[in-house]
Amino acid sequence: MVTTDIPATQGVLLAGGLARRMGGGDKPMRTIGGRTILERVIARLSPQCSELILNANGDPVRFAAFGLQVVADDVPGFPGPLAGILAALDWTAANWPEIDWVLSAAGDCPFLPRDLVARLHEARERESAQLVVAASGDQSHPVIGLWRVALRDELRHALVVEELRKIDRWTARYPLATVRWPTEPFDPFFNANTVEDIAEAERLAALDDAA
């Protein structure tokens, strides 16, 4: 569970992508270091969030072994991660109306920081931000961020009416904070996009497991 000085935060793991660069299928189900990527993501975020849900499309039974509520997009056409974030905001508003914040993370990032939620909330409070995203080095990772549940209607309008798809175009509309992490000894936001990335992830998993 989260510590008492961090607001209750619903976590959503975004696994709704089509994984075209891996020939299709669910990237989080790939195995590195003897564990699926999704297992590693869950292990990192469970202690930081009040609860975790999984955003994925298609038959949810394939994720049954992980014990997470699976929430699908309700905006058709696979419009990207913003649709998954919207689904999580709507689900949280309906099921946990007392929770104001949702933490989104890519389901294919196995080495997420253990202080992710705490540091994002610290930046939000310090900078009076409505949205917070993570970064490492010079690269922003807008899919990994903190989202205010109260913005869900505005996000739905942007997705459905304006057909907006890029996260950074959405976040540019609001006071935004960015929190940076170092990339040594490895980038905590490394994600497995290709078959070659899986080989690199095996090497990093050995470093991470030894830490």
Side-chain angles (χ1 to χ4, degrees):
M1 294 294 291
V2 294
T3 57
T4 55
D5 58 340
I6 299 173
T9 304
Q10 174 69 49
V12 58
L13 309 182
L14 302 174
L18 301 178
R20 292 188 179 95
R21 281 180 283 182
M22 283 194 185
D26 296 301
K27 287 187 291 182
M29 304 292 272
R30 303 305 203 272
T31 299
I32 59 171
R35 302 164 66 195
T36 65
I37 294 174
L38 186 54
E39 283 180 274
R40 291 178 176 272
V41 178
I42 292 170
R44 283 299 170 91
L45 290 186
S46 287
Q48 302 185 53
C49 295
S50 302
E51 183 185 18
L52 291 179
I53 60 174
L54 181 67
N55 166 245
N57 300 299
D59 188 350
V61 172
R62 67 193 193 276
F63 296 109
F66 297 97
L68 300 183
Q69 174 76 38
V70 179
V71 179
D73 298 347
D74 73 349
V75 178
F78 297 102
L82 279 176
I85 292 167
L86 174 61
L89 297 182
D90 284 342
W91 188 92
T92 302
N95 291 276
W96 297 103
E98 68 275 18
I99 292 181
D100 295 325
W101 297 97
V102 167
L103 179 282
S104 67
D108 60 354
C109 287
F111 312 119
L112 291 167
R114 292 181 171 88
D115 59 353
L116 178 63
V117 174
R119 288 195 60 196
L120 294 181
H121 272 298
E122 288 168 5
R124 173 187 61 79
E125 293 179 356
R126 183 174 63 250
E127 302 181 34
S128 299
Q130 292 202 56
L131 302 171
V132 192
V133 297
S136 56
D138 295 327
Q139 183 177 0
S140 178
H141 306 287
V143 76
I144 300 171
L146 201 59
W147 309 85
R148 185 183 288 275
V149 175
L151 296 178
R152 69 188 188 282
D153 291 337
E154 294 173 40
L155 178 54
R156 179 172 295 279
H157 184 275
L159 269 170
V160 176
V161 178
E162 302 175 46
E163 297 186 349
L164 183 145
R165 297 294 180 259
K166 291 186 176 295
I167 295 179
D168 54 2
R169 288 186 59 196
W170 164 253
T171 58
R173 300 179 176 185
Y174 301 92
L176 174 70
T178 300
V179 183
R180 298 190 182 279
W181 274 263
T183 57
E184 297 295 337
F186 54 82
D187 189 336
F189 304 111
F190 172 92
N191 65 325
N193 275 321
T194 67
V195 174
E196 291 75 19
D197 287 340
I198 292 293
E200 174 65 5
E202 288 280 358
R203 185 184 72 83
L204 297 180
L207 292 175
D208 185 56
D209 291 344

